[in-house]
Amino acid sequence: MNKKFYIALGCGLAFILLNCIALKYEFLYVPVLSAVAVILYLLLSRVDLLLYFMAFITPFSIEFADTKINIGISIPAEIIMILVTLLFFVRLFYDIRLERKIVFHPISILIYLYLIWMLITSITSEIPLVSFKFLASKIWFITACYFCVIQLIKNDFNKIITFINCYAFSLGVVIIITTIKTVLAGFPKQGMHWIMNPFYNDHTAYGAAIAFFIPLLVALLFIDGKNRWKKIYYLLLSGVFFTGLILSYCRAAWLSVLVAFSIFAVIKLRIKFSWLAVSVVLLGSFFYFFSDDILYRMSRNSQDSSTEFVEHVISASNIKTDASNVERLNRWFSAFEMIEARPVFGWGPGTYQFLYAGYQKGKYKTIISTNFGIGGNAHSEYFGPCAEMGFPGAIIVVLLMITVIYTGIKAYAKTTDKIHKNLCIFAVIALITYYIHGIMNNFLDTDKLSLPFWMAFAMIVVVESRNKEDFKKII
């Protein structure tokens, strides 16, 4: 505590006071300029703190859309991601050194193929402007949340704990705000779709984010919760997340957590992969041979979505009157028609929502169907990419999924460091929650899900690489 410390503390307090006064009197340009100044300072001198801030601010970010200039962006998270991405590419030329095992890692190679194929299909796109915007957003998501996070944690893996906590704490605050709004509104049946605004525009995205972080919080409770106060913090935060998961009324999120932790039990019990494979084949065969009977029984279910837990679970199989379920079928069958029309190059990244209207079938249209490109995407991380980037794009997506899960489990089995071991396997479980959720929804075109998704990739790659010989410099 020297003279410089007190000077810095005084300047900091004065800075905060100035912005508080400006907000009170609605001089909004002062906090805006202050935010720009802080971000530029961090960008030029403390990128690590900027990455932590990026994680912290993402759950609070609000989407800004302007139909006049046809642009939508999440502020301020995506602005920070863009700046970090630009800085990363500039610094590649003079001071960033990338390790061979990172650059040529199978997961990194598949990411390159994913982006290259996206570039090709953007050129052949039905709406090139939309596709190139979509490609640009993917580049800054992947660069900021995968490559930059790798640079952050490669020499000190414990930094990922701080990074996870930054996002989890903010999301916890959002959950508390949303829960209070839900209670005050009397648990409205339709509240599940709008009550988490302005932070999340849909209860399914909100549920997916919560489901993703529950395994990571479990990991942190075991590896970072030895201190009594930290343990209390993680237990309270986990309670907040489980409450948020239940009150999200997102059936896909509930299912994803259940399946993910079941797979975790399989991994911990070391059940042979051959048994698991046989079980999957038998289950798939059952659904294939009895698909007509299953669909018939589902069509007789008339239980709509409800705030009652049991009724809401039962409604998951209602494809007769539940608008959400029938609309999902509408999007899937539209995607199938689009895939059949353009199986190789697809219609172009990001174009599905603008083009699927002509492929809708009357029997699947619902009261929430639309023909104006405002109703969202294909509701699947598998059918959507296939419709937009053809079968090659879908194959790359599936290969990336299989590779990261396999790599994560292999790294978990080989590493001897307890922190690395726990974080690695729970990163795999977190990804599994999203891959299960991705059957019914897709959110990787948003910053709120892209950040944790690619962060988990970075965690697995760093742990797996550290199990091998020391990194070799290539730049």
Side-chain angles (χ1 to χ4, degrees):
M1 295 238 181
N2 52 27
K3 188 176 180 180
K4 289 183 179 178
F5 170 80
Y6 289 111
I7 292 174
L9 180 62
C11 291
L13 291 174
F15 181 78
I16 293 171
L17 180 61
L18 173 65
N19 281 276
C20 289
I21 294 172
L23 284 171
K24 180 180 179 180
Y25 292 101
E26 297 187 2
F27 296 136
L28 299 182
Y29 61 89
V30 174
V32 170
L33 291 175
S34 298
V36 171
V38 170
I39 291 173
L40 288 177
Y41 168 75
L42 294 175
L43 190 68
L44 296 174
S45 60
R46 292 298 302 272
V47 181
D48 57 336
L49 295 182
L50 184 59
L51 290 174
Y52 292 143
F53 180 67
M54 178 181 75
F56 175 80
I57 204 65
T58 296
F60 294 125
S61 295
I62 298 173
E63 186 175 355
F64 168 80
D66 192 323
T67 55
K68 292 181 179 179
I69 57 176
N70 196 24
I71 190 171
I73 193 167
S74 182
I75 297 176
E78 285 195 68
I79 300 296
I80 297 172
M81 291 178 185
I82 293 170
L83 292 173
V84 168
T85 298
L86 292 173
L87 180 67
F88 177 81
F89 285 120
V90 169
R91 291 185 62 178
L92 276 178
F93 291 102
Y94 69 92
D95 72 339
I96 289 183
R97 298 294 180 264
L98 298 180
E99 288 74 18
R100 180 180 297 274
K101 289 186 182 288
I102 298 297
V103 175
F104 295 114
H105 194 282
I107 291 175
S108 296
I109 291 173
L110 283 170
I111 289 174
Y112 306 148
L113 290 176
Y114 174 64
L115 292 175
I116 290 170
W117 187 252
M118 191 175 290
L119 172 62
I120 293 171
T121 52
S122 293
I123 295 171
T124 61
S125 172
E126 185 75 7
I127 315 176
L129 181 60
V130 169
S131 295
F132 278 107
K133 287 180 182 178
F134 189 86
L135 172 61
S137 67
K138 283 292 182 182
I139 290 173
W140 68 63
F141 287 154
I142 292 173
T143 303
C145 307
Y146 176 72
F147 288 108
C148 289
V149 171
I150 286 176
Q151 291 297 111
L152 175 70
I153 67 176
K154 67 178 183 180
N155 295 323
D156 184 2
F157 192 71
N158 289 339
K159 287 183 177 180
I160 197 63
I161 296 175
T162 305
F163 193 87
I164 292 171
N165 269 303
C166 287
Y167 193 109
F169 178 81
S170 297
L171 182 54
V173 174
V174 172
I175 293 170
I176 291 171
I177 294 171
T178 303
T179 301
I180 292 172
K181 289 169 65 178
T182 303
V183 173
L184 292 177
F187 301 92
K189 181 178 179 180
Q190 299 303 322
M192 61 186 77
H193 295 287
W194 55 263
I195 210 158
M196 60 287 306
N197 282 332
F199 307 114
Y200 290 82
N201 58 9
D202 185 83
H203 76 115
T204 52
Y206 174 70
I210 295 172
F212 194 99
F213 271 87
I214 284 177
L216 296 176
L217 286 176
V218 172
L220 293 182
L221 179 62
F222 285 110
I223 67 176
D224 196 38
K226 295 179 180 179
N227 177 283
R228 184 178 66 175
W229 294 110
K230 283 187 176 181
K231 181 174 289 188
I232 292 173
Y233 164 74
Y234 286 125
L235 285 172
L236 289 174
L237 193 59
S238 297
V240 168
F241 271 67
F242 275 107
T243 301
L245 180 68
I246 294 170
L247 294 182
S248 71
Y249 295 104
C250 180
R251 296 161 296 190
W254 297 345
L255 176 65
S256 68
V257 171
L258 179 63
V259 173
F261 277 100
S262 299
I263 293 174
F264 175 70
V266 169
I267 295 170
K268 292 295 288 185
L269 294 172
R270 298 186 178 183
I271 296 175
K272 290 184 178 179
F273 178 76
S274 57
W275 295 1
L276 188 61
V278 169
S279 300
V280 171
V281 170
L282 289 175
L283 186 63
S285 300
F286 172 80
F287 279 106
Y288 177 77
F289 288 111
F290 294 96
S291 58
D292 290 339
D293 291 334
I294 293 170
L295 287 173
Y296 173 72
R297 289 185 178 276
M298 290 173 69
S299 67
R300 297 186 65 187
N301 181 2
S302 59
Q303 175 61 58
D304 289 329
S305 300
S306 170
T307 54
E308 293 294 330
F309 182 83
V310 175
E311 293 180 356
H312 199 56
V313 171
I314 294 173
S315 72
S317 62
N318 177 6
I319 59 171
K320 181 180 180 181
T321 61
D322 189 286
S324 177
N325 293 343
V326 179
E327 179 61 24
R328 186 167 281 105
L329 290 177
N330 178 37
R331 302 297 177 86
W332 289 356
F333 281 110
S334 297
F336 298 156
E337 294 289 328
M338 294 173 72
I339 292 167
E340 186 177 355
R342 292 191 181 182
V344 179
F345 293 101
W347 293 83
T351 61
Y352 172 90
Q353 66 174 322
F354 302 107
L355 300 173
Y356 80 91
Y359 293 90
Q360 295 180 104
K361 293 184 180 295
K363 62 180 178 179
Y364 294 119
K365 295 184 74 172
T366 68
I367 58 173
I368 58 176
S369 298
T370 176
N371 294 326
F372 301 104
I374 58 174
N377 45 43
H379 286 292
S380 172
E381 288 291 356
Y382 311 103
F383 304 146
C386 194
E388 294 180 346
M389 299 189 291
F391 281 108
I395 290 170
I396 293 171
V397 168
V398 173
L399 282 176
L400 193 56
M401 176 189 74
I402 294 171
T403 303
V404 74
I405 298 299
Y406 171 77
T407 302
I409 294 174
K410 184 178 71 171
Y412 163 75
K414 289 186 176 182
T415 187
T416 56
D417 186 292
K418 279 192 173 182
I419 293 178
H420 295 180
K421 201 174 188 72
N422 280 302
L423 282 174
C424 183
I425 192 59
F426 280 105
V428 170
I429 301 306
L431 284 170
I432 289 173
T433 68
Y434 188 77
Y435 283 129
I436 296 297
H437 200 118
I439 297 172
M440 292 163 279
N441 293 294
N442 56 320
F443 304 111
L444 289 185
D445 55 347
T446 68
D447 58 314
K448 297 182 188 292
L449 269 301
S450 285
L451 187 148
F453 182 84
W454 295 111
M455 172 201 72
F457 274 56
M459 292 168 63
I460 290 169
V461 168
V462 170
V463 172
E464 200 268 344
S465 299
R466 286 170 71 102
N467 288 337
K468 299 180 180 179
E469 60 182 341
D470 292 337
F471 293 152
K472 296 177 181 178
K473 308 290 185 183
I474 66 166
I475 296 180

